[in-house]
């Protein structure tokens, strides 16, 4: 993980260029000039990635947000990455996204006129008659701002985060807000509901913030940064700051006194009593105390940035009244004299059932309208960024009438994320984990560029020439290195002499490849190159190349088997279902009423996606498969 509160502000200044208000029409009947290709509503991580992706694809893009100074701000946790989430970051980076480069450089400078940032809250959508060649009841052609101004565009991406009918909760007090100090989006939420979208309600929360100088760090466990610090982005060899200059984190724990305060004051906490579902894997301290009674819980004290004196107590999300939050904080070791600068609070907000969007993130109901981020029921910056980059790419492709850019489950964590949402839906904030991924040994963080960069360059045009060339060099270098490692063969006894620290059995009679020697835990490319310098030394000059060769060797046999499984799945997934198939009325296929309703609601595009919808039985899939194949044969005659 990398902690960088300051980066949000750098992104804000570098991403935004003000669009003159004179170019906006106040007459909703008259299109404004200039006409835009893509309008992105919301300036969080889904919004910034969506706007940047659409702009990289060549679309005239406008990012609309209510506050320019909070574009890309980390509203909650000041950290990026983690299990499953780090995979998403690498895949976003492979598509030339922003978040990994921000982590590595603490800010990114975005030049040129392709992306504009306009300050203004969106109140409503501008709708028009549907395009006859696509499904949907209407199509979106722009947005209406709260001051009545209209912005017309070919496509609109909504990345509203927690702002759709957002409500902040502290104790028993509730007031409308999408974030502390920011007004919610009410009109837009009502419009989406009137259009027929199925709306749900979710909640999340954030911990209080603590003044750094009031904490006794000397008695706490200190966590130092990695040395060397590994960059998130494929284009960076180092991060912007040396390990010795980075800020440490500190670990403390809750105790029975914290439990006592929580349990005695549940009657003063309406957020906990709400039936609205919150994040399972990032629960509040109240939820942890209730679920795991008499347990001690970790609290990580994370600095919010180099230029901030605030500490974020990770693991202490709470919605008790402010005075009780202060009392609870002072019960914790190291925080006995801590000063709370901002109370923790809960947020309840609308989300739209993600089974109402396609794998391109365009909605079924409204043509040219895309959703990304928490509006689809996810939680986390990384999940939002992943959806944002896909929505931005596909909105741009929609302008140029090109096929959508779809990442399948066999190609990336992004594919798993979107497939889970569009086929299974979610009733609680969705978080990415490695356990959700069937082929995780093949879909590793190190090879995200080989999986996605070439597709992004050729199919979407979202990848720069520089990144494409670097990915091409890495691909050819890996192929060459693996070929050389396979070609070097010695007896096991000779390898033992060359690399005595390796636990190589000398009982093996057949020659042993250098690639097989590299599989041993204690052997890396540096050690191997010392044994065979004339052939292998050049592969140690690039740290990333040397590490990736080690990884390729380690997983070689498993990946070969897994790639075969992937081919089988891709073959099954390849059968596309007709987009205009009316599941409620089609005859000549035996499907129960329940199955028909589920297929009609989710409208899967592939037979594989249909098979993953809960309630769609194997028998129904066989019948549907037979029907589609028969229909295709009839059309071909």
């Amino acid at each position: 993980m990398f902690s960088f509160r300051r980066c949000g502000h750098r992104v804000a200044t570098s991403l935004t260029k003000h669009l003159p208000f004179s170019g906006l029409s106040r007459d909703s009947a008259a299109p404004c000039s200039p006409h835009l290709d893509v309008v992105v509503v919301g300036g969080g991580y889904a919004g910034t990635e969506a706007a940047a992706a659409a702009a990289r694809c060549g679309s005239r893009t406008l990012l609309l947000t209510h506050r320019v100074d909070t574009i890309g701000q980390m509203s909650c946790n000041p950290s990026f990455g983690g299990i499953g989430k780090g995979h998403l970051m690498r895949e976003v980076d492979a598509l030339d996204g922003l978040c990994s480069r921000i982590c590595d450089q603490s800010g990114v400078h975005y030049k040129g006129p392709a992306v504009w940032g306009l300050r203004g809250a969106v109140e409503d959508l501008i709708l028009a008659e549907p395009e006859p060649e696509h499904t949907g009841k209407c199509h979106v052609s722009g947005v209406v701002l709260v001051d009545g101004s209209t912005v017309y565009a070919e496509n609109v991406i909504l990345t509203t985060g927690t702002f759709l009918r957002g409500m902040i909760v502290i104790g028993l007090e509730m007031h409308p807000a999408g974030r502390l100090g920011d007004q919610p989006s009410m009109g837009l939420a009502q419009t989406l509901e009137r259009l027929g979208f199925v709306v749900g309600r979710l909640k999340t929360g954030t911990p209080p913030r603590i003044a750094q100088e009031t904490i006794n760090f000397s008695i706490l466990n200190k966590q130092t940064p990695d040395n060397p610090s590994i960059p998130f982005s494929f284009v960076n060899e180092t991060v912007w700051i040396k390990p010795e200059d980075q800020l440490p984190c500190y670990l403390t724990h809750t105790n029975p006194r914290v439990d006592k305060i929580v349990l005695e004051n549940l009657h003063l906490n309406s957020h906990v009593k709400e039936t609205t579902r919150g994040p399972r894997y990032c629960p509040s301290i109240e939820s942890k105390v209730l679920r795991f009674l008499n347990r001690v819980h970790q609290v990580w004290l994370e600095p919010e940035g180099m230029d901030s004196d605030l500490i974020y107590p990770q693991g202490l999300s709470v919605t008790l009244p402010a005075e009780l939050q202060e009392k609870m904080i002072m019960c914790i070791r190291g925080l006995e004299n801590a000063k709370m600068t901002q109370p923790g609070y809960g947020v309840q907000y609308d989300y739209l059932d993600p089974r109402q969007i396609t794998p391109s993130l365009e909605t079924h109901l409204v043509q040219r309208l895309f959703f990304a981020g928490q509006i689809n029921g996810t939680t986390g910056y990384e999940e939002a960024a992943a959806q944002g980059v896909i929505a931005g790419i596909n909105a741009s492709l929609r302008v140029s009438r090109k096929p959508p850019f779809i990442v399948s489950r066999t190609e990336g964590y992004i594919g798993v994320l979107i497939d889970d949402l569009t086929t299974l839906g979610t009733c609680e904030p969705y978080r990415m984990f490695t356990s959700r991924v069937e082929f995780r040994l093949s879909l590793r963080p190190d090879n995200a560029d080989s999986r996605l960069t070439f597709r992004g360059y050729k199919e979407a045009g979202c990848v720069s020439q520089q990144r494409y060339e670097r990915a091409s060099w890495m691909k050819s270098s890996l192929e060459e290195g693996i070929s050389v490692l396979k070609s070097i063969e010695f007896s096991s006894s000779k390898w033992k002499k060359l690399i005595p620290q390796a636990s190589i059995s000398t009982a093996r009679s057949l020659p042993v490849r250098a690639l097989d020697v590299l599989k041993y835990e204690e052997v890396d490319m540096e050690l191997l190159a010392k044994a065979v310098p004339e052939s292998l030394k050049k592969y140690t000059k690039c740290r990333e190349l040397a590490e990736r060769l080690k990884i390729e060797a380690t997983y070689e046999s498993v990946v070969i088997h897994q790639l075969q499984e992937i081919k089988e799945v891709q073959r099954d997934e390849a059968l596309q279902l007709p987009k205009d198939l009316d599941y409620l009325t089609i005859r000549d296929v035996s499907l129960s009423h329940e199955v028909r309703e589920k297929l009609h609601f989710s409208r899967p595009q592939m037979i594989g996606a249909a098979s993953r919808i809960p309630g769609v039985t194997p028998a129904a899939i066989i019948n549907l498969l037979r029907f589609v194949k028969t229909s295709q044969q009839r059309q071909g005659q």
Side-chain angles (χ1 to χ4, degrees):
M1 291 190 179
F2 193 86
S3 178
F4 65 107
R5 167 66 73 173
R6 62 188 292 194
C7 299
H9 299 292
R10 290 202 182 179
V11 176
T13 56
S14 59
L15 269 179
T16 56
K17 180 173 181 177
H18 290 290
L19 183 66
F21 276 87
S22 59
L24 299 176
S25 170
R26 294 185 178 274
D27 179 5
S28 59
C32 65
S33 179
H35 194 81
L36 297 158
D37 295 322
V38 178
V39 162
V40 180
V41 179
Y45 277 91
T48 52
E49 291 289 357
R56 289 197 305 277
C57 293
S59 293
R60 291 169 58 80
T61 304
L62 172 68
L63 174 64
L64 283 168
T65 180
H66 66 297
R67 282 177 60 188
V68 173
D69 61 333
T70 58
I71 292 178
Q73 186 183 67
M74 303 175 77
S75 302
C76 188
N77 193 329
S79 297
F80 240 105
I83 296 173
K85 293 170 173 283
H87 293 70
L88 289 173
M89 288 183 66
R90 293 284 275 184
E91 292 181 1
V92 170
D93 184 66
L95 294 170
D96 228 352
L98 302 177
C99 60
S100 290
R101 285 181 282 162
I102 291 172
C103 284
D104 295 344
Q105 302 172 20
S106 283
V108 59
H109 295 280
Y110 215 88
K111 300 180 180 179
V115 177
W116 286 320
L118 172 67
R119 197 169 93 182
V122 172
E123 180 70 12
D124 209 345
L125 301 174
I126 302 172
L127 303 170
E129 291 298 312
E131 299 167 337
E133 66 271 24
H134 296 283
T135 59
K137 62 167 58 176
C138 57
H139 89 263
V140 69
S141 58
V143 296
V144 180
L145 306 186
V146 290
D147 66 353
S149 301
T150 55
V151 181
Y152 285 83
E154 295 287 322
N155 300 277
V156 173
I157 304 173
L158 297 185
T159 66
T160 50
T162 59
F163 281 74
L164 281 183
R165 275 195 283 241
M167 186 73 67
I168 278 185
V169 185
I170 302 176
L172 298 177
E173 296 179 6
M174 302 178 70
H175 62 272
R179 181 172 52 203
L180 200 63
D182 293 326
Q183 290 300 308
S185 177
M186 307 299 284
L188 187 58
Q190 292 164 1
T191 294
L192 293 170
E193 199 165 36
R194 281 198 303 268
L195 281 167
F197 285 102
V198 176
V199 180
R201 195 83 172 153
L202 293 175
K203 66 181 179 181
T204 187
T206 190
R209 304 305 194 267
I210 303 172
Q212 179 177 295
E213 67 272 13
T214 64
I215 298 174
N216 183 7
F217 292 109
S218 64
I219 62 173
L220 301 178
N221 295 327
K222 184 178 181 180
Q223 182 77 20
T224 56
D226 288 345
N227 190 1
S229 298
I230 306 302
F232 277 109
S233 177
F234 288 101
V235 300
N236 294 324
E237 294 183 6
T238 59
V239 299
W240 71 286
I241 187 171
K242 296 177 182 178
E244 59 268 27
D245 295 328
Q246 294 178 32
L247 300 176
C249 295
Y250 292 85
L251 177 63
T252 186
H253 296 85
T254 63
N255 53 55
R257 287 186 294 163
V258 171
D259 293 10
K260 188 172 184 289
I261 290 173
V262 169
L263 293 172
E264 288 180 352
N265 294 282
L266 289 175
H267 63 290
L268 299 176
N269 194 332
S270 62
H271 193 66
V272 171
K273 291 184 286 186
E274 285 284 341
T275 56
T276 304
R277 299 292 290 272
R280 180 186 298 267
Y281 302 104
C282 186
S284 65
I285 188 63
E286 297 99 325
S287 297
K288 287 188 281 192
V289 169
L290 289 170
R291 290 182 202 169
F292 309 105
L293 201 60
N294 301 319
R295 289 274 295 274
V296 170
H297 303 284
Q298 291 184 342
V299 179
W300 284 98
L301 302 178
E302 302 177 353
E304 290 216 344
M306 301 291 287
D307 55 358
S308 172
D309 62 354
L310 297 181
I311 294 295
Y312 176 95
Q314 171 76 272
L316 209 60
S317 176
V318 61
T319 55
L320 286 167
E323 62 275 13
L324 290 173
Q325 292 187 35
E326 285 188 295
K327 186 178 178 182
M328 181 186 70
I329 287 170
M330 296 174 74
C331 292
I332 298 172
R333 178 177 166 83
L335 306 182
E336 292 87 353
N337 299 306
K339 179 182 177 183
M340 184 178 75
T341 61
Q342 174 187 299
Y345 60 88
V347 186
Q348 298 170 15
Y349 57 96
D350 284 356
Y351 82 105
L352 305 185
D353 191 319
R355 291 173 294 178
Q356 300 169 105
I357 55 174
T358 70
S360 72
L361 301 186
E362 184 177 3
T363 68
H364 292 303
L365 275 176
V366 180
Q367 299 163 359
R368 298 185 175 272
L369 178 64
F370 295 77
F371 294 160
Q374 284 179 288
I375 192 173
N376 288 331
T378 60
T379 180
Y381 307 137
E382 301 85 356
E383 290 84 350
Q387 294 170 72
V389 75
I390 296 300
I393 289 170
N394 283 313
S396 183
L397 291 174
R398 190 80 157 81
V399 173
S400 53
R401 299 184 180 277
K402 293 180 180 178
F405 183 84
I406 308 297
V407 180
S408 76
R409 295 186 75 91
T410 62
E411 288 180 296
Y413 277 58
I414 291 176
V416 174
L417 166 70
I418 293 174
D419 184 69
D420 279 353
L421 292 173
T422 56
T423 59
L424 305 177
T426 186
C427 59
E428 63 183 45
Y430 178 101
R431 175 176 173 169
M432 175 51 67
F433 283 106
T434 54
S435 57
R436 299 188 189 275
V437 183
E438 298 89 339
F439 303 110
R440 49 188 173 272
L441 293 182
S442 298
L443 308 181
R444 307 184 306 271
D446 66 282
N447 66 6
D449 58 342
S450 64
R451 292 184 278 113
L452 296 175
T453 298
F454 301 103
R455 282 197 61 204
Y457 180 80
K458 295 172 183 175
E459 298 175 31
C462 65
V463 171
S464 68
Q465 184 68 30
Q466 178 188 2
R467 185 182 289 270
Y468 173 75
E469 289 174 359
R470 192 186 188 287
S472 298
W473 174 83
M474 181 60 70
K475 182 175 183 289
S476 61
S477 298
L478 280 169
E479 291 172 349
E480 178 189 295
I482 291 169
S483 178
V484 170
L485 288 166
K486 287 180 177 179
S487 68
I488 299 172
E489 293 185 337
F490 297 140
S491 66
S492 56
S493 57
K494 183 173 181 178
W495 278 119
K496 189 66 177 176
K497 289 178 182 177
L498 290 170
I499 311 177
Q501 51 270 68
S503 55
I504 302 171
S505 172
T506 56
R508 297 175 65 174
S509 57
L510 294 174
V512 180
R513 305 175 305 170
L515 189 69
D516 295 319
V517 175
L518 190 56
K519 294 177 183 179
Y520 287 92
E521 185 179 351
E522 58 269 25
V523 179
D524 58 18
M525 280 302 297
E526 285 283 348
L527 200 58
L528 202 57
K530 288 178 182 177
V532 194
E534 62 277 5
S535 301
L536 300 178
K537 188 176 181 180
K538 69 175 184 176
Y539 299 108
T540 63
K541 292 180 180 178
C542 173
R543 175 195 57 81
E544 184 186 353
L545 175 59
E547 290 177 352
R548 289 180 68 165
L549 284 169
K550 169 70 175 177
I551 293 169
E552 291 290 343
T554 302
Y555 292 113
E556 182 201 21
S557 57
V558 180
V559 167
I560 289 173
H561 175 70
Q562 201 163 86
L563 288 176
Q564 187 59 42
E565 292 179 334
I566 287 174
K567 287 181 181 178
E568 292 174 5
V569 170
Q570 288 175 335
R571 188 167 55 246
D572 294 338
E573 293 260 321
L575 181 63
Q576 289 193 342
L577 297 170
K579 291 183 179 180
D580 58 351
L581 195 58
D582 188 344
Y583 294 103
L584 298 177
T585 61
I586 53 171
R587 300 182 179 182
D588 303 325
V589 57
S590 178
L591 298 173
S592 69
H593 184 67
E594 179 191 1
V595 167
R596 288 174 183 269
E597 284 185 339
K598 290 179 180 293
L599 290 171
H600 176 74
F601 185 77
S602 296
R603 302 206 61 80
Q605 296 188 349
M606 303 284 187
I607 194 73
S611 69
R612 289 187 289 273
I613 298 173
V616 177
T617 63
I621 291 297
I622 291 171
N623 291 338
L624 184 61
L625 186 63
R626 187 181 298 120
F627 170 79
V628 172
K629 285 184 175 179
T630 302
S631 299
Q632 289 177 342
Q633 289 171 359
R634 288 173 183 167
Q635 291 173 3
Q637 291 176 353

